[in-house]
Amino acid sequence: MSSKTKIVVLRMKEIIYTAIFIGLGILLVMLLFIMFRPKKDAPVASDQVLYVPGLYSSSLVLGSQEVNVEVAVDANRITSISMVPLSDSVATMYPLVQPSLQNLTKQICDTQSTEGLTYSEDTRYTSQALIQAIDRALQKATAK
């Protein structure tokens, strides 16, 4: 048995083409990996539209007086909450309504939720009625 030596002749042009194609293949695999990996730093909630932007109101009956609680929302957040009395005597007859609403507005705009709000024992019933009115307005604003 004799072993024959085989000589392979490669041209420099073929080596350069092969190196370029291998480099492009590696680049393509890296690009696909970067494009399709899950992103951890992007919050999921910002991609979803929570509300239809606009101004939504809900009525609240205080004794014989009626007020509208207006909630302004963007696509993803609650921007402001205000009260529009239909009569001038509401502020006089119900002095706890406006301070309670200001307290709740600050908490709701900070947390973007009507859950887990704190309010004093003196304004418990007023705050609960306001929260119910705000929830009704937010239900109207919810994107379907």
Side-chain angles (χ1 to χ4, degrees), residues 47-53 56 73-76 135-144:
D47 295 340
Q48 299 175 357
V49 175
L50 299 175
Y51 305 111
V52 177
Y56 297 90
V73 293
D74 284 343
N76 296 323
D135 281 336
R136 284 192 306 269
L138 286 175
Q139 285 175 353
K140 294 176 187 177
T142 303
K144 295 177 180 151

Side-chain angles (χ1 to χ4, degrees), residues 37-124:
R37 69 180 172 156
K39 297 196 180 355
K40 295 180 182 178
D41 54 324
V44 176
S46 68
D47 295 340
Q48 299 175 357
V49 175
L50 299 175
Y51 305 111
V52 177
L55 184 66
Y56 297 90
S57 66
S58 175
S59 63
L60 175 64
V61 178
L62 300 172
S64 63
Q65 304 293 323
E66 190 171 322
V67 295
N68 284 337
V69 176
E70 293 182 343
V71 179
V73 293
D74 284 343
N76 296 323
R77 57 188 296 271
I78 302 167
T79 56
S80 68
I81 302 170
S82 62
M83 183 180 66
V84 180
L86 301 178
S87 172
D88 294 334
S89 63
V90 172
T92 306
M93 296 290 289
Y94 303 98
L96 295 178
V97 174
Q98 192 63 33
S100 297
L101 183 66
Q102 289 173 350
N103 179 29
L104 293 174
T105 299
K106 183 179 182 317
Q107 291 181 52
I108 291 171
C109 288
D110 289 344
T111 63
Q112 295 297 308
S113 173
T114 57
E115 301 296 321
L117 301 174
T118 58
Y119 41 84
S120 69
E121 193 66 28
D122 296 336
T123 62
R124 177 179 55 194

